[in-house]
Amino acid sequence: MKKSLKLTFVVVSVLMLVCTAKAANTWYVDDDNYGKEGLTGKTAELAYGTIQDAINKASSGDTIYVAPGVYSNGTGSAVSSWGASRIGWNNKKLFIYSTGNASDTHIVGNKNPGTDIGTGEGAIRCLAIYDNSGTACAGTVIKGFTFRDGSTLTNSSNTYANRGGGVCVHHENIYFSRHIGNFFKLHRGNIPTAAGKGFGQNLLFPKLCANA
């Protein structure tokens, strides 16, 4: 009898844990829907028009599917002092996949007009991720994108606002698949490897493009 009660307690406890665990959500993005109203992001038909909209809704562990297109709308930020990014977030693990591939799914930053290297208030880097704890973003996967034409808020050294016009990542376990385009010269799109925890470490790039 005691064994039976103990087994029942274990089974009920496991069921309670399963029922109370938060299920991961799936979100959809399609640049053809940019500017449309009534989008929920929960189906391909009602996909958000910007990747940042999906990121803002997503919780840690969620998956975002992005249709092929040129994503040059919307802005986010990992940390406000870093300046604007086309997509950015902090302290959550996300799985972001293009439903096409890197050749037809582009995340496009912006260069500040009227400057030689594009830095300034109008600059937008392509992607920024900040991990406050060192573990919250671990395991994030970003697959099937080209990042291009980004720049940074400032050209000054020793500040996160000048690092990675293409990608600025404050964590060592963010995984990228496929290629990343237009990473060239500091402040204009490189992936930093010198200062800051985890910048550029364990990032998987089959090819880094050196051309402008």
Side-chain angles (χ1 to χ4, degrees):
M1 182 63 178
K2 287 184 177 179
K3 287 184 177 178
S4 178
L5 287 173
K6 185 176 181 181
L7 179 59
T8 301
F9 176 76
V10 170
V11 172
V12 171
S13 297
V14 171
L15 287 173
M16 288 178 65
L17 286 172
V18 171
C19 292
T20 56
K22 184 181 183 298
N25 292 309
T26 300
W27 305 93
Y28 298 88
V29 182
D30 188 334
D31 70 328
D32 287 342
N33 285 349
Y34 178 70
K36 294 181 181 179
E37 298 182 354
L39 304 174
T40 65
K42 294 181 178 180
T43 66
E45 292 73 21
L46 294 176
Y48 288 126
T50 73
I51 301 172
Q52 189 62 44
D53 284 341
I55 289 171
N56 291 344
K57 285 288 187 179
S59 300
S60 189
D62 286 359
T63 298
I64 299 172
Y65 290 110
V66 181
V70 177
Y71 291 87
S72 57
N73 292 302
T75 56
S77 178
V79 179
S80 59
S81 62
W82 290 13
S85 301
R86 187 63 67 202
I87 59 174
W89 73 90
N90 57 65
N91 299 322
K92 55 187 177 184
K93 176 175 69 174
L94 298 176
F95 303 95
I96 305 178
Y97 303 103
S98 165
T99 59
N101 53 59
S103 65
D104 59 23
T105 316
H106 290 209
I107 297 175
V108 183
N110 188 63
K111 292 181 173 63
N112 191 49
T115 62
D116 291 337
I117 60 175
T119 59
E121 291 293 333
I124 301 173
R125 71 162 53 80
C126 298
L127 167 67
I129 306 172
Y130 177 73
D131 191 328
N132 182 4
S133 66
T135 59
C137 295
T140 286
V141 175
I142 302 170
K143 182 178 181 180
F145 298 90
T146 291
F147 295 81
R148 62 180 174 86
D149 302 331
S151 193
T152 56
L153 178 63
T154 177
N155 194 32
S156 301
S157 59
N158 300 319
T159 171
Y160 287 104
N162 85 326
R163 293 172 181 159
V167 174
C168 186
V169 174
H170 188 267
H171 197 277
E172 57 190 12
N173 290 315
I174 309 296
Y175 297 96
F176 294 80
S177 180
R178 300 295 293 164
H179 72 273
I180 303 251
N182 286 358
F183 285 89
F184 56 99
K185 296 183 181 179
L186 188 61
H187 321 310
R188 292 184 62 187
N190 70 316
I191 298 181
T193 56
K197 174 175 177 270
F199 274 84
Q201 298 174 30
N202 296 338
L203 301 179
L204 308 182
F205 302 106
K207 181 178 180 181
L208 289 181
C209 299
N211 60 299

